[in-house]
């Protein structure tokens, strides 16, 4: 891979050198840096250009949040697939009522991100005939992990990587950026416009877009994302392009779409059953009374249940289970 790293220099540091034929361009400044005329080691110009496009969109930890989210506990989470809202979203029925948008809402700690990762896994398994692009916002991550620009770069990157026609339509935009100009960056507006333009042409495969934790960017940015996704859904419907959009967020800040389906996590019997299953499977010492007490105090906050179960199991291992049982009656309350 030595040829690859001599070909690219994507940040500050030593200049790259091209020992092959053609013009050379070396740039020690920050930002994207390219040398277009190096076609060594059997790599074709088309492959190199696609790699250049993807690298211009990529950034550190672009999918770290999705990878870090815990998978659902066995035998939980499947209730979402049985809801009327999910089935209408999946099958694209009653489109005039929701424009192909499903919005999952819930209080902090209810397990929305875990559920969204479960939906992502379901789509990967069941929607093999569709192109799936997902983004998980991360409030404690780097700048791009919690801003609309990061979401846009990620979504466009996934579509360009998976769909040849999308790549071919994106290439002119990439070339217009003129990589020989130092420190150029993608802007929200141009990537939004590109995605909207994509929704005006028939796609080779239907598209699924999954956006998690919208509330983990600022209020104004969250409103911008909702406005953009609404614009995208309307464009898809108008041009009869098959695109399903699923997003998740807390109940606050108050943001709405004119048309979409909503599913509140904590107001679902299936979510309550998931908590019961988790308690039964994970408490070291089974105690129906304590399980019921934890369930009632949790008020649907799954993360709180996970934390309390860990505390009780640790206490049991240390021989302090009676003290912890007493604590369940008095001190432990959800703090979310």
């Amino acid at each position: 891979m030595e040829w690859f790293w001599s070909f690219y220099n994507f940040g500050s540091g030593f200049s790259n050198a091209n020992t092959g034929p053609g013009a050379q361009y070396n740039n020690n400044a920050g930002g994207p840096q390219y040398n277009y005329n190096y076609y060594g080691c059997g790599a074709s110009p088309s492959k190199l250009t696609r790699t250049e496009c993807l690298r211009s969109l990529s950034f550190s930890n672009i999918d770290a949040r999705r990878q870090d989210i815990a998978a659902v506990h066995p035998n939980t989470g499947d209730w979402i697939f049985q809801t009327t809202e999910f089935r209408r979203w999946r099958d694209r029925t009653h489109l005039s009522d929701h424009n192909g948008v499903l919005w999952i809402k819930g209080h902090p700690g209810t397990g929305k991100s875990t559920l969204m990762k479960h939906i992502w896994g379901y789509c990967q398994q069941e929607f093999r005939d569709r192109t799936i692009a997902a983004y998980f916002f991360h409030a404690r991550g780097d700048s791009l992990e919690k801003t609309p620009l990061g979401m846009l770069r990620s979504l466009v990157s996934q579509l360009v990587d998976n769909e040849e026609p999308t790549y071919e339509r994106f290439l002119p935009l990439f070339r217009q950026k003129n990589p020989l100009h130092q420190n150029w960056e993608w802007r929200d507006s141009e990537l939004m416009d590109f995605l909207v333009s994509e929704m005006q042409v028939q796609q080779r495969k239907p598209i699924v877009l999954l956006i998690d934790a919208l509330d983990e960017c600022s209020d104004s940015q969250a409103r911008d994302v909702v406005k953009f996704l609404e614009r995208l859904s309307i464009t898809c419907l108008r041009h009869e392009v098959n695109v399903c959009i699923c997003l998740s967020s807390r109940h606050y800040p108050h943001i709405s779409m004119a048309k979409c389906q909503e599913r509140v996590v904590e107001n679902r019997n299936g979510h309550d059953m998931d908590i019961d299953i988790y308690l039964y499977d994970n408490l070291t010492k089974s105690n129906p009374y304590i399980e019921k007490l934890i369930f009632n105090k949790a008020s649907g906050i799954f993360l709180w249940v996970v934390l309390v179960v860990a505390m009780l199991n640790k206490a049991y291992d240390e021989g302090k289970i009676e003290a912890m049982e007493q604590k369940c009656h008095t001190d432990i309350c959800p703090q979310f």
Side-chain angles (χ1 to χ4, degrees):
M1 294 297 289
E2 292 180 358
W3 71 270
F4 184 86
W5 294 112
S6 68
F7 177 74
Y8 288 106
N9 182 348
F10 279 91
S12 302
F14 298 107
S15 62
N16 49 28
N18 179 5
T19 58
Q24 302 181 34
Y25 177 73
N26 298 318
N27 177 10
N28 285 322
Q33 304 175 43
Y34 305 91
N35 186 330
Y36 281 101
N37 294 307
Y38 183 79
Y39 300 143
C41 297
S44 68
S46 60
K47 288 183 178 179
L48 293 175
T49 305
R50 182 187 290 272
T51 302
E52 292 160 4
C53 285
L54 294 175
R55 281 193 169 269
S56 76
L57 293 163
S58 185
F59 56 90
S60 178
N61 297 324
I62 192 169
D63 60 352
R65 177 56 179 161
R66 175 180 59 79
Q67 294 176 357
D68 290 344
I69 295 169
V72 296
H73 183 71
N75 302 314
T76 66
D78 288 348
W79 60 266
I80 187 67
F81 309 134
Q82 307 306 318
T83 62
T84 299
E85 293 86 356
F86 185 88
R87 290 183 174 185
R88 287 180 175 178
W89 175 79
R90 178 194 63 197
D91 301 333
R92 294 180 61 78
T93 58
H94 301 82
L95 273 178
S96 60
D97 295 333
H98 57 82
N99 288 353
V101 179
L102 172 61
W103 194 335
I104 295 173
K105 293 185 177 182
H107 293 305
T110 49
K112 299 180 298 298
S113 291
T114 298
L115 192 61
M116 285 293 286
K117 183 171 181 176
H118 193 45
I119 292 172
W120 175 81
Y122 174 93
C123 293
Q124 293 286 335
Q125 184 67 32
E126 301 294 330
F127 295 165
R128 296 183 182 273
D129 61 336
R130 307 188 193 188
T131 298
I132 302 162
Y135 190 71
F136 289 67
F137 280 98
H138 185 25
R140 295 179 297 279
D142 297 334
S143 175
L144 284 171
E145 293 183 76
K146 54 188 174 185
T147 58
L149 180 58
M151 177 197 74
L152 292 164
R153 284 172 60 165
S154 177
L155 295 180
V156 172
S157 174
Q158 292 172 73
L159 295 177
V160 166
D161 192 29
N162 286 287
E163 290 298 321
E164 185 66 25
T166 300
Y167 161 65
E168 292 174 355
R169 289 187 287 268
F170 182 74
L171 187 56
L173 180 62
F174 171 73
R175 286 174 170 161
Q176 288 172 10
K177 296 297 291 186
N178 186 11
L180 298 184
H181 180 71
Q182 295 184 18
N183 299 324
W184 64 269
E185 290 286 348
W186 291 110
R187 299 178 65 84
D188 297 49
S189 57
E190 60 191 341
L191 294 178
M192 285 182 177
D193 288 345
F194 174 75
L195 286 171
V196 170
S197 70
E198 278 296 287
M199 301 307 114
Q200 298 179 39
V201 296
Q202 289 300 318
Q203 303 294 315
R204 186 174 66 91
K205 295 192 295 185
I207 295 173
V208 176
L209 301 179
L210 304 175
I211 313 296
D212 177 58
L214 183 61
D215 53 274
E216 296 203 15
C217 55
S218 70
D219 288 5
S220 61
Q221 290 174 331
R223 294 183 187 281
D224 289 342
V225 172
V226 169
K227 183 178 179 180
F228 166 68
L229 293 177
E230 185 170 33
R231 175 188 174 196
L232 209 60
S233 68
I234 294 171
T235 301
C236 294
L237 193 65
R238 181 178 300 141
H239 293 271
E240 299 182 344
V241 176
N242 189 331
V243 176
C244 296
I245 301 171
C246 180
L247 63 153
S248 76
S249 72
R250 299 179 181 182
H251 297 289
Y252 303 98
H254 289 294
I255 309 173
S256 61
M257 285 188 187
K259 290 186 177 182
C260 73
Q261 296 185 104
E262 291 189 5
R263 165 51 61 185
V264 176
V265 174
E266 61 268 21
N267 291 349
R268 178 70 188 181
N269 289 335
H271 179 67
D272 291 344
M273 290 179 63
D274 286 353
I275 292 177
D276 277 336
I277 291 170
Y278 184 86
L279 285 167
Y280 180 82
D281 288 349
N282 287 275
L283 271 176
T284 299
K285 182 181 179 181
S286 178
N287 184 320
Y289 177 73
I290 292 298
E291 291 172 17
K292 183 177 181 180
L293 187 63
I294 295 172
F295 176 86
N296 290 336
K297 286 197 172 186
S299 300
I301 309 300
F302 210 128
L303 179 57
W304 182 81
V305 174
V306 173
L307 297 176
V308 170
V309 167
M311 291 171 59
L312 287 172
N313 287 342
K314 183 175 183 293
Y316 181 79
D317 292 340
E318 296 174 351
K320 302 176 182 177
I321 191 63
E322 291 184 4
M324 284 305 298
E325 288 180 353
Q326 181 62 33
K327 198 172 185 64
C328 281
H329 289 278
T330 56
D331 300 335
I332 297 178
C333 292
Q335 298 294 322
F336 293 94

